[in-house]
Amino acid sequence: MKKWLIATMAFSGLLLASCSSSPEVASTENGRIRQDEFYERMKNETTQTGQTYGEQILQQMLLEDVLENAYGDQVTEEDVDAEFEVEAEQYGGVETFEEMLTSQGMSADDLKETIRTSLLVETAIKEHADFSDEEIQEAYDNYSPGSTVAHILVDEEDTAKDIIQQLNDGADFGELVQEYSTDTATVSTNGEMELVPGQTVPEFEEAAMALENEGDITQEPVQSDYGYHVIKLIEAGEKGTLEEERDNVIDTLVEEKMADQDYILEVISDLVADANIQIADDDLSGAMSAYMEPAETETPAEDETTEDTTDTEDTTESEDSTDSESSEDENTESSTDEDTEDAE
């Protein structure tokens, strides 16, 4: 797996004493690239985010380690495989999905690692979040159980209108999916898909949820960034009681938190703070800066100087005031003596 291969080569360089003894990573007719050279380059080359590649990889490895230590026993291989299969279904099955991943330079294992990390973060949020009864009740009131719908996606509005007319005249929906639909992810299922709130584009979701009876079809093309949809309600989801739907409702709340980057940062930062992370290489010391609070600094000495100055000013003002009062007293005594002499 690419990231682990790169990380292993990079960090094994820490164990090597010099370039001459460093194992070879690659070579050309012009020379050899050694592991310690590779490691140094990774520490110095900067990514678009401002981190070095070394900091970025180290951050990823540390976060995976922290999450695994905290919640690794709560996420099983079966959980990861189930999520992978859900993703694969949207692309026509596991075989087709894996071919698509390969064309993008990924493997199934690469994606499964990403899925596992996502599930660990989700578990962390569930543990961290303390949803109130009011929040759960409000989420339940707004909750709609998943329905099964089918759709045909085309590029032109006129084509979508023609399909709607054919369906109203009795044409078979599945046959029209095979003939017209450009959505390769659902062609193999005759256009059918599970409608889960928040997981499709808003225009599609709103139109699909407006269908009331099983078999109903949208009578106007539904436009989205992907083209024009014709949607059919296959099976409407039934909403149970709050207790029956409690887990599903909490899942929707967790999904909202998963979309909140500030909240995720807060949760991960708490885990990082408890992990006592120590980075031995000073060049990589900023790897976890996004998740760690800056160390408290002592009050600058100039504050004390300011206080001393204030005290000095107060003392000076007090002395000036005293001198002024003494002067006034002397003037008063002098004036009294003169008045006494005049009286005599």
Side-chain angles (χ1 to χ4, degrees):
M1 290 164 281
K2 294 180 180 178
K3 59 186 178 183
W4 293 111
L5 176 60
I6 293 172
T8 301
M9 289 191 297
F11 288 95
S12 62
L14 285 171
L15 304 176
L16 305 171
S18 66
C19 179
S20 60
S21 63
S22 176
E24 183 180 304
V25 175
S27 65
T28 68
E29 292 182 358
N30 192 47
R32 294 176 173 80
I33 298 176
R34 306 280 182 179
Q35 281 190 354
D36 58 351
E37 295 174 319
F38 184 58
Y39 177 62
E40 287 299 320
R41 177 66 67 87
M42 289 184 67
K43 289 201 301 181
N44 295 319
E45 290 288 336
T46 305
T47 69
Q48 293 181 346
T49 63
Q51 285 184 309
T52 65
Y53 286 99
E55 287 176 327
Q56 194 173 68
I57 292 174
L58 179 58
Q59 181 190 91
Q60 180 176 340
M61 294 178 70
L62 286 170
L63 288 178
E64 288 173 350
D65 186 65
V66 168
L67 288 166
E68 281 289 349
N69 182 61
Y71 303 108
D73 59 343
Q74 298 184 44
V75 177
T76 66
E77 290 186 14
E78 289 75 15
D79 296 329
V80 175
D81 288 341
E83 288 293 325
F84 181 84
E85 289 174 7
V86 169
E87 291 290 328
E89 286 176 6
Q90 300 180 39
Y91 294 87
V94 172
E95 185 176 348
T96 303
F97 187 45
E98 289 184 351
E99 290 175 358
M100 186 273 291
L101 290 174
T102 301
S103 69
Q104 296 184 1
M106 294 181 65
S107 69
D109 287 337
D110 290 334
L111 182 58
K112 285 182 180 181
E113 285 184 9
T114 301
I115 290 173
R116 181 171 182 80
T117 300
S118 179
L119 290 175
L120 288 169
V121 172
E122 183 177 330
T123 304
I125 289 175
K126 284 183 178 180
E127 293 283 335
H128 189 275
D130 184 17
F131 299 117
S132 66
D133 291 340
E134 291 76 13
E135 287 179 298
I136 294 174
Q137 182 63 54
E138 182 180 357
Y140 170 75
D141 293 339
N142 296 325
Y143 171 72
S144 296
S147 303
T148 302
V149 298
H151 84 128
I152 303 170
L153 176 65
V154 294
D155 295 328
E156 302 296 332
E157 183 177 15
D158 288 342
T159 305
K161 288 182 177 180
D162 179 57
I163 291 171
I164 291 172
Q165 184 61 54
Q166 291 184 59
L167 290 169
N168 289 337
D169 290 340
D172 182 78
F173 196 96
E175 292 179 1
L176 294 183
V177 168
Q178 301 302 319
E179 182 177 352
Y180 290 101
S181 188
T182 61
D183 182 11
T184 56
T186 58
V187 166
S188 62
T189 60
N190 283 333
E192 290 191 17
M193 57 182 287
E194 185 179 359
L195 180 65
V196 179
Q199 292 190 8
T200 58
V201 291
E203 303 90 346
F204 185 98
E205 181 177 321
E206 182 180 352
M209 293 183 68
L211 298 173
E212 297 180 354
N213 303 308
E214 295 178 0
D216 284 354
I217 297 169
T218 52
Q219 293 301 301
E220 292 293 334
V222 179
Q223 185 179 8
S224 76
D225 291 339
Y226 299 99
Y228 294 87
H229 307 262
V230 178
I231 308 170
K232 178 181 180 179
L233 177 61
I234 304 297
E235 182 179 357
E238 296 184 5
K239 185 174 180 178
T241 65
L242 174 57
E243 286 306 311
E244 291 172 338
E245 301 285 3
R246 189 178 185 85
D247 289 343
N248 293 328
V249 168
I250 289 178
D251 285 343
T252 62
L253 289 171
V254 170
E255 285 177 10
E256 291 177 6
K257 294 294 187 184
M258 288 284 285
D260 186 344
Q261 294 300 315
D262 290 336
Y263 186 80
I264 292 176
L265 179 62
E266 176 187 330
V267 173
I268 300 301
S269 295
D270 286 346
L271 289 173
V272 168
D274 294 336
N276 190 29
I277 292 175
Q278 304 292 326
I279 299 177
D281 190 326
D282 290 341
D283 292 334
L284 299 172
S285 61
M288 301 301 291
S289 59
Y291 302 96
M292 301 174 72
E293 294 183 2
E296 295 183 3
T297 56
E298 295 181 0
T299 305
E302 61 183 19
D303 291 345
E304 297 177 1
T305 304
T306 303
E307 291 177 2
D308 292 343
T309 302
T310 303
D311 292 342
T312 303
E313 291 175 353
D314 291 344
T315 303
T316 303
E317 290 176 1
S318 177
E319 290 175 353
D320 291 343
S321 175
T322 303
D323 291 342
S324 177
E325 291 175 0
S326 299
S327 177
E328 289 177 2
D329 291 343
E330 290 175 0
N331 291 336
T332 302
E333 290 176 1
S334 176
S335 175
T336 304
D337 291 342
E338 291 175 357
D339 291 344
T340 303
E341 290 176 0
D342 291 342
E344 291 175 351

